[in-house]
Amino acid sequence: MLIFSAPLPLFSARAVPRLQALSEENTPMSELLIASQMDASFNQALREQLAQSHPGARLIDVPNGVPSDLPPAASVLLGRPINVRGYQAGDTPPPGWPYNLRWIQVVSSGLDAYPDWFFAGPPVSTARGSASDPIAEYVLAAIFAYNKHLPDIWVQDADWQFTALTPVQGQTLGLLGFGSIGSSLARKAQALGLKVITLRQSATPPDVEGVQTARDIHHLFSAADHLVVAAPLTPQTRHLINAKVLASAKPGQHLINIARGGLLDQDALLDALDHGSLGFATLDVTEPEPLPAGHRLYSHPKVRLSPHTSAISTQTGEAIRAIFLDNLQRFVDQQPLVNLADRSRGY
Ligand SMILES: NC(=O)c1ccc[n+]([C@@H]2O[C@H](COP(=O)([O-])OP(=O)(O)OC[C@H]3O[C@@H](n4cnc5c(N)ncnc54)[C@H](OP(=O)(O)O)[C@@H]3O)[C@@H](O)[C@H]2O)c1
């Protein structure tokens, strides 16, 4: 079941038409009205949970894309990424924005898929953490697939050739970014006997015992057998991984990008795979998404691509609803929201 993140085209066939136009006359002032851009099955499950936890709340379906003409009674927006699949919202908000919204909860972790004006109104909180464990598992699956030559080792006839498989234990995992995904992954990797080294934006020491801090990005790349990109896409991080950084990669390195395609200069990546010391790349994200037909990354023998799916699990909807309901209680109680977005920082 696809819930959100695999970015949807604006007003796709799956976009939910507005069910009804609400006016202030038919919405009691005491009622909390939530406008949700999520799909119908997600919204129905949330309605059932709201009936238990917040019987005074009502949820309406609104189309995804730029939130327009929201009913005056709506004080909360549950929003999906806007700038996806080639769509780019304009620099100016729709007339009336931000309507009477007092809080926006988005269902993504990153802030890169929204226009600036989206953050100029009420506070915006993110779904950071909702998919960190599934993404960490995806990364571990990619590491094992690379080291154990999956799926190539499975035999289909009597011609058995033996391949020496590389142990994961004792190798070094490099993490560019040590937030919710990075720390989840570090714990799981250490349990498998991997050493972990990281580089983050701030000088904050990693809160997972035994994790080393790299001096700089070149040190990080030179130390890692598997290098995972787990940092946000911001103006500062666009093409942070360029030819110079890739030239520092440990020979045979496996690069795994589960963050955003824009962090990586894809031409430099192809060059490093063809002529440099980079061993392999597993990419869950690219720029653009999807890549155009015939793009070299589809057919390169040292690349595996997945369609921005590492975060999407059978439990995604439940995880997002849990974050939303927790923040809803905070909103009602006038307590600080969790995962508040900081647009100036970019995450
Ligand atoms: N594939 C998917 O579907 C998917 C799903 C979820 C998230 N993501 C992407 O993954 C990113 C990370 O997610 P998260 O939940 O771990 O985010 P997070 O908890 O906000 O952590 C972000 C981390 O990146 C670090 N960082 C920021 N700028 C950096 C820089 N220039 N160099 C090195 N590190 C830097 C931050 O450093 P500090 O700790 O010092 O602040 C922090 O450790 C998100 O921003 C999103 O774009 C992708």
Side-chain angles (χ1 to χ4, degrees):
M1 176 177 52
L2 283 183
I3 304 289
F4 75 115
S5 176
L8 289 176
L10 196 64
F11 305 124
S12 70
R14 285 170 50 205
V16 181
R18 178 160 303 142
L19 290 184
Q20 61 201 102
L22 288 172
S23 67
E24 279 179 316
E25 297 84 74
N26 60 16
T27 306
M29 286 305 287
S30 59
E31 187 180 74
L32 180 68
L33 188 65
I34 301 159
S36 172
Q37 295 185 313
M38 299 299 278
D39 66 27
S41 62
F42 178 100
N43 285 346
Q44 188 49 35
L46 183 54
R47 273 189 197 96
E48 286 161 19
Q49 287 174 282
L50 284 168
Q52 300 299 317
S53 63
H54 296 85
R58 193 153 66 92
L59 183 138
I60 56 164
D61 303 41
V62 295
N64 58 48
V66 170
S68 309
D69 298 326
L70 295 182
S75 55
V76 179
L77 174 66
L78 183 53
R80 294 164 71 128
I82 296 173
N83 294 337
V84 289
R85 299 224 170 173
Y87 180 80
Q88 201 68 33
D91 291 340
T92 49
W97 176 261
Y99 311 106
N100 289 327
L101 294 175
R102 291 171 49 220
W103 163 44
I104 301 170
Q105 170 74 47
V106 293
V107 299
S108 59
S109 302
L111 309 183
D112 50 296
Y114 306 89
D116 284 337
W117 52 258
F118 193 78
F119 300 91
V124 178
S125 55
T126 74
R128 175 183 176 270
S130 60
S132 300
D133 288 334
I135 293 174
E137 289 181 8
Y138 168 100
V139 170
L140 293 173
I143 289 172
F144 278 101
Y146 180 56
N147 280 29
K148 306 301 177 187
H149 298 263
L150 300 175
D152 303 335
I153 57 165
W154 309 128
V155 289
Q156 284 162 340
D157 57 38
D159 180 22
W160 289 19
Q161 304 292 329
F162 299 103
T163 310
L165 307 180
T166 311
V168 168
Q169 181 165 325
Q171 288 196 314
T172 298
L173 174 68
L175 297 174
L176 183 65
F178 200 76
S180 180
I181 296 170
S183 58
S184 166
L185 182 53
R187 288 189 179 87
K188 297 182 202 314
Q190 283 185 335
L192 292 164
L194 282 146
K195 291 172 248 171
V196 182
I197 183 167
T198 187
L199 184 68
R200 67 200 300 178
Q201 162 78 7
S202 65
T204 313
D207 60 356
V208 178
E209 206 183 320
V211 173
Q212 304 294 307
T213 298
R215 287 188 300 279
D216 57 30
I217 196 166
H218 297 281
H219 178 211
L220 181 75
F221 271 68
S222 68
D225 296 292
H226 306 271
L227 191 292
V228 179
V229 187
L233 178 60
T234 67
Q236 292 72 38
T237 64
R238 173 164 291 283
H239 287 195
L240 178 64
I241 304 160
N242 54 26
K244 225 172 140 194
V245 169
L246 291 170
S248 300
K250 183 172 178 177
Q253 180 174 95
H254 175 203
L255 180 72
I256 305 167
N257 190 0
I258 48 75
R260 291 289 185 266
L263 282 137
L264 182 59
D265 178 338
Q266 288 172 177
D267 291 334
L269 171 74
L270 284 164
D271 195 53
L273 288 166
D274 289 338
H275 308 295
S277 59
L278 205 61
F280 202 81
T282 302
L283 308 175
D284 186 47
V285 288
T286 59
E287 192 173 72
E289 290 182 4
L291 289 171
H295 194 285
R296 274 195 73 205
L297 285 171
Y298 283 123
S299 55
H300 198 287
K302 293 183 179 175
V303 175
R304 275 199 197 101
L305 277 182
S306 56
H308 204 139
T309 198
S310 62
I312 300 173
S313 82
T314 48
Q315 285 144 29
T316 307
E318 198 47 52
I320 291 173
R321 284 191 288 274
I323 286 178
F324 175 73
L325 288 170
D326 176 43
N327 258 344
L328 181 64
Q329 190 58 51
R330 291 164 186 271
F331 174 73
V332 169
D333 293 343
Q334 299 185 17
Q335 294 298 309
L337 300 171
V338 293
N339 289 350
L340 266 187
D342 179 345
R343 182 58 162 181
S344 59
R345 193 177 69 151
Y347 59 103

